Amino acid sequence: MTRISQFLAIAFFAGVGVGVGSVDRNPRAATPAQSPKRAADLAAIEKLHQADIEATLTQDPASLTKLWSEGGANFGFPGPPVVGIRDMGSAYAKFRAEHPDFQVVKYAPVINEIQIVDEWAIEAGDFGGIFKMSAKDEPVTVRSKGMRVLKRQQDGSWKFAIVGLK
């Protein structure tokens, strides 16, 4: 995989997902044995997952930025991590301006495990997608395993706090 392909996979497949604690093999299904709080957390996390897919497919810098918690750190950009909502928005806008024809054709994250402890969640996943740098370029397929740390917001929603790939 070329350096640009790695960068694009990391930076714009914001979903990058390794879990800790007890194993939840089907993280999206709330079972009757789960507490109502856990079921509510899983539903809110699923909303974040759907927003991640939608924002990644549209490549709208504002939508991508809204996925992040205040002080979030994205290790997917070249150089040091991009930290904070303002810098995250600037990084997404800069990429969009430099690559206006960039298109995500498919983004299909598969979250294999979610562990929730207090206000934090760690999730493991397999992340894949297809992108094109421009309409005339051939599609590039990327696949990665990774983790992301989520932070519960005061309103009960969840946002990305730390994203990294391996």
Side-chain angles (χ1 to χ4, degrees):
M1 183 182 313
T2 67
R3 176 85 173 129
I4 189 74
S5 297
Q6 290 172 334
F7 164 71
L8 294 172
I10 294 168
F12 291 95
F13 297 145
V16 252
V18 169
V20 176
S22 63
V23 175
D24 184 351
R25 292 292 174 205
N26 188 0
R28 295 169 192 241
T31 65
Q34 292 176 339
S35 73
K37 180 152 180 51
R38 178 161 175 82
D41 282 337
L42 289 174
I45 289 170
E46 180 59 24
K47 279 183 149 182
L48 174 63
H49 294 161
Q50 290 306 309
D52 171 38
I53 291 168
E54 291 169 17
T56 300
L57 290 172
T58 65
Q59 286 298 291
D60 173 55
S63 296
L64 290 163
T65 304
K66 287 180 186 177
L67 301 172
W68 291 89
S69 63
E70 191 66 45
N74 187 338
F75 288 81
F77 289 95
V82 175
V83 179
I85 291 176
R86 187 186 66 202
D87 289 347
M88 204 78 64
S90 295
Y92 287 127
K94 179 180 177 191
F95 180 85
R96 192 69 178 158
E98 291 174 354
H99 305 282
D101 295 331
F102 177 79
Q103 177 188 16
V104 176
V105 178
K106 180 179 179 184
Y107 174 51
V110 176
I111 305 303
N112 299 318
E113 184 174 341
I114 298 174
Q115 301 306 314
I116 301 169
V117 179
D118 298 326
E119 306 302 309
W120 299 93
I122 299 173
E123 55 185 23
D126 298 308
F127 301 90
I130 301 171
F131 70 87
K132 292 173 73 172
M133 289 305 297
S134 72
K136 60 187 169 213
D137 289 334
E138 291 296 317
V140 176
T141 300
V142 293
R143 290 193 177 101
S144 183
K145 292 184 179 287
M147 68 168 277
R148 52 189 174 188
V149 177
L150 313 177
K151 185 171 194 278
R152 185 185 295 119
Q153 306 300 293
Q154 287 187 352
D155 66 0
S157 67
W158 289 81
K159 293 190 176 190
F160 298 125
I162 302 171
V163 170
L165 284 177
K166 67 175 179 170

